[in-house]
Amino acid sequence: MRIWSIANQKGGVGKTTSVVSLGGLLAEQGKRVLLVDLDPHGSLTSYFRQDPDSLDRSLYHLFFEQRYKDKDFVRSVIKPTSLDSVSLLPATTSLATLERQVSGQDGMGLVLARTLAQLWDEYDYALLDTPPILGVLLVNALAACQRLVIPTQTEHLALKGLERMVHTLKMVMRSQNRQLPFLIVPTLFDRRTLASLTTLKEMRRTYHDSLWQEAIPVDTRLRDASHDGLFPHQLDPQGRGVRAYRHLLGEIEASENERG
């Protein structure tokens, strides 16, 4: 199983859209994909018409009584999506209380890694949708993954969130004594606006070696897919956003192949 975290310490930058789009395109290639929702807001969970306020089992429950060690329990948490080859490990709003409940307990930063180990041969990829704050959930995502994708909206205020995310990543890599490859992905790009153009130029100047040189454009079809609970390529396989995500996936896969 290959595990990618999609993360940024700023909300509204396209994390959930990136998870769903990349996951759907991997499924299009015949891959078995698990989408994991680590955000208490449950946007990924809601995308597939699951209610984060009413689910009786979710990622939250895996943090207690060592439930992550019980493969049958882990499987019982997983939900279907609109594609047979893509499954969802959902979130509930209870995740918002997790930081306080597990504070000081040993091993809480590795629960997700140990959960995914139970499913290692059942999926080819796991894509993790993360919360926009540094805490036990984001730490779990960074500890579990082998690659990090950082969607960043092409507007000035997003640059500060990107700076915090890169700082957090470097701090975590030092504490874990490992290198985690990452790619910054410009999102919500509108070439008609000066804000998008100047922000993209600044990203290229500051993060050139870690930046995807293309950008995910603003595309209302991505929003339409969310409204319908579909993967974007199911709704519009040749849409601007889907084509951009195909290019992005190709670059990530090429990088993975180079690393072996």
Side-chain angles (χ1 to χ4, degrees):
M1 182 193 293
R2 294 183 178 182
I3 305 171
W4 300 345
S5 285
I6 288 74
N8 194 320
Q9 287 180 256
K10 183 181 184 304
V13 298
K15 292 192 299 294
T16 300
T17 298
S18 297
V19 168
V20 173
S21 298
L22 292 171
L25 292 172
L26 285 166
E28 188 181 52
Q29 296 179 359
K31 308 299 186 184
R32 302 165 299 167
V33 183
L34 179 66
L35 308 181
V36 182
D37 193 351
L38 290 107
D39 192 341
H41 289 109
S43 296
L44 180 61
T45 302
S46 297
Y47 191 109
F48 294 108
R49 304 299 184 263
Q50 301 289 335
D51 184 0
D53 293 319
S54 63
L55 288 172
D56 59 354
R57 290 184 177 180
S58 74
L59 178 71
Y60 169 80
H61 298 91
L62 298 173
F63 282 83
F64 300 99
E65 300 176 14
Q66 300 193 40
R67 291 288 184 88
Y68 60 83
K69 292 184 177 180
D70 183 344
K71 182 179 287 190
D72 288 337
F73 184 84
V74 173
R75 286 172 173 161
S76 76
V77 176
I78 293 171
K79 303 292 184 183
T81 70
S82 56
L83 287 175
D84 290 341
S85 56
V86 183
S87 301
L88 171 71
L89 184 54
T92 53
T93 50
S94 302
L95 283 173
T97 69
L98 190 63
E99 196 78 34
R100 172 172 46 82
Q101 291 179 284
V102 303
S103 177
Q105 296 184 35
D106 291 337
M108 289 295 104
L110 296 174
V111 169
L112 181 59
R114 291 166 176 165
T115 296
L116 294 177
Q118 299 283 358
L119 304 169
W120 200 261
D121 295 327
E122 299 182 24
Y123 296 94
D124 301 303
Y125 287 85
L127 274 56
L128 317 181
D129 192 9
T130 63
I133 56 173
L134 178 58
V136 67
L137 292 166
L138 183 54
V139 167
N140 264 268
L142 295 179
C145 73
Q146 302 136 358
R147 177 172 295 276
L148 179 65
V149 176
I150 307 176
T152 303
Q153 185 178 0
T154 47
E155 60 99 26
H156 181 70
L157 292 178
L159 292 176
K160 180 57 70 173
L162 175 58
E163 182 182 333
R164 286 196 300 271
M165 188 66 233
V166 171
H167 174 75
T168 295
L169 176 60
K170 291 178 178 178
M171 180 178 65
V172 169
M173 287 193 295
R174 282 196 302 269
S175 68
Q176 297 179 353
N177 193 28
R178 69 168 180 142
Q179 291 298 309
L180 181 61
F182 68 95
L183 183 66
I184 298 165
V185 177
T187 59
L188 297 167
F189 177 67
D190 187 345
R191 65 178 63 256
R192 299 168 300 179
T193 68
L194 181 62
S196 273
L197 292 170
T198 56
T199 302
L200 185 59
K201 183 178 179 180
E202 177 66 15
M203 286 182 187
R204 287 172 172 167
R205 185 185 69 82
T206 307
Y207 300 103
H208 182 270
D209 291 342
S210 304
L211 184 75
W212 184 45
Q213 292 304 302
E214 299 183 48
I216 305 297
V218 171
D219 184 354
T220 58
R221 299 296 278 167
L222 297 175
R223 189 182 306 121
D224 293 342
S226 173
H227 179 270
D228 294 341
L230 297 173
F231 291 88
H233 80 279
Q234 290 179 295
L235 183 68
D236 189 357
Q238 296 304 321
R240 289 184 302 153
V242 171
R243 291 200 308 270
Y245 275 111
R246 276 206 180 91
H247 292 168
L248 172 61
L249 180 59
E251 180 155 329
I252 296 174
E253 289 179 319
S255 179
E256 295 262 301
N257 291 335
E258 286 177 10
R259 294 180 68 235

